Amino acid sequence: FCNLHYQRLIHHGHPLAGGEIRTTMRGEPQRWIDDRLDMEDGDCLIWPFADDGHGYGHFQLGGRPVKTHRYVCEKINGPPPFPKAEAAHSCGKGKMGCVHPKHLRWATTKENNWDRVNHETDNRGERCGTHKLKQPEVLTIDRLLSSGASHQSLADEYGVHRCTITDIAKGKNWSWLTGRVHHSNPQP
């Protein structure tokens, strides 16, 4: 097999698969989208074709890869209003492949990140794959910091690097839980 078909075999169990054992015909993803652009409000519209490995749909258009949610957002809302505009999901289900036209809008990175917080799809705290501390531990550390405990003694006690404790103390990490605010990154 060539690399493409070998990867399909590894990921889907068949060299011609792309999510299900069938070949997607050229233009089929774009036709699927175009047939659904006039949808009214309702449940999420889940992309049935390939995704980028993170749940966001994508397809080829004119030989170039296109992110499906951006394509739909542009079709509905016009071109991005500023250079780094992001296609944000009001439903919070972008990683599940939602491409419902009424669920997409242009947003800044900051607005999109706040959407992730509101939808609880962000990766802060215990949702972060590399977290070492649990919320109750952070609250205890915060209390002990307020009573004057040293950063190094807390780091030793909880089995983390001193910088982790310092970042909690400065409000760089876990500020949403402790209420500590870092000066260069104020919350809106």
Side-chain angles (χ1 to χ4, degrees):
F1 296 117
C2 71
N3 186 45
L4 174 65
H5 288 99
Y6 178 72
Q7 292 300 320
R8 288 179 179 172
L9 175 67
I10 297 298
H11 285 84
H12 304 292
H14 193 280
L16 298 178
E20 55 188 60
I21 300 179
R22 70 177 183 84
T23 301
T24 302
M25 302 302 292
R26 186 180 307 266
E28 187 177 355
Q30 187 177 2
R31 280 190 299 277
W32 186 89
I33 294 167
D34 292 342
D35 289 345
R36 289 158 178 82
L37 286 175
D38 59 353
M39 288 185 69
E40 293 302 318
D41 289 335
D43 292 335
C44 291
L45 176 63
I46 304 301
W47 181 246
F49 302 102
D51 68 52
D52 64 1
H54 300 286
Y56 293 96
H58 72 94
F59 67 101
Q60 295 284 320
L61 182 62
R64 299 177 60 102
V66 175
K67 295 178 180 181
T68 309
H69 63 291
R70 285 190 66 85
Y71 177 81
V72 172
C73 192
E74 188 163 346
K75 284 286 200 176
I76 295 300
N77 301 307
F82 48 93
K84 293 188 178 184
E86 297 181 3
H89 292 82
S90 62
C91 60
K93 296 187 179 171
K95 286 190 174 188
M96 298 170 112
C98 178
V99 293
H100 194 298
K102 299 290 184 189
H103 295 188
L104 293 164
R105 73 181 193 296
W106 293 118
T108 65
T109 300
K110 188 173 188 176
E111 291 168 336
N112 205 8
N113 286 336
W114 276 110
D115 282 351
R116 292 175 60 214
V117 169
N118 292 333
H119 296 132
E120 296 184 357
T121 57
D122 63 328
N123 65 344
R124 66 183 185 174
E126 291 180 39
R127 290 190 293 267
C128 177
T130 60
H131 82 280
K132 295 198 178 198
L133 298 170
K134 304 269 188 213
Q135 286 188 22
E137 294 171 320
V138 173
L139 291 171
T140 301
I141 290 168
D142 181 53
R143 184 177 45 77
L144 293 171
L145 284 168
S146 295
S147 65
S150 81
H151 293 199
Q152 188 61 56
S153 67
L154 291 172
D156 293 341
E157 182 178 343
Y158 287 94
V160 296
H161 195 278
R162 183 185 50 78
C163 291
T164 302
I165 303 299
T166 300
D167 286 348
I168 292 170
K170 289 182 175 180
K172 283 186 173 180
N173 292 340
W174 297 90
S175 63
W176 53 273
L177 182 65
T178 64
R180 295 174 184 260
V181 178
H182 186 252
H183 297 298
S184 68
N185 190 18
Q187 306 288 329

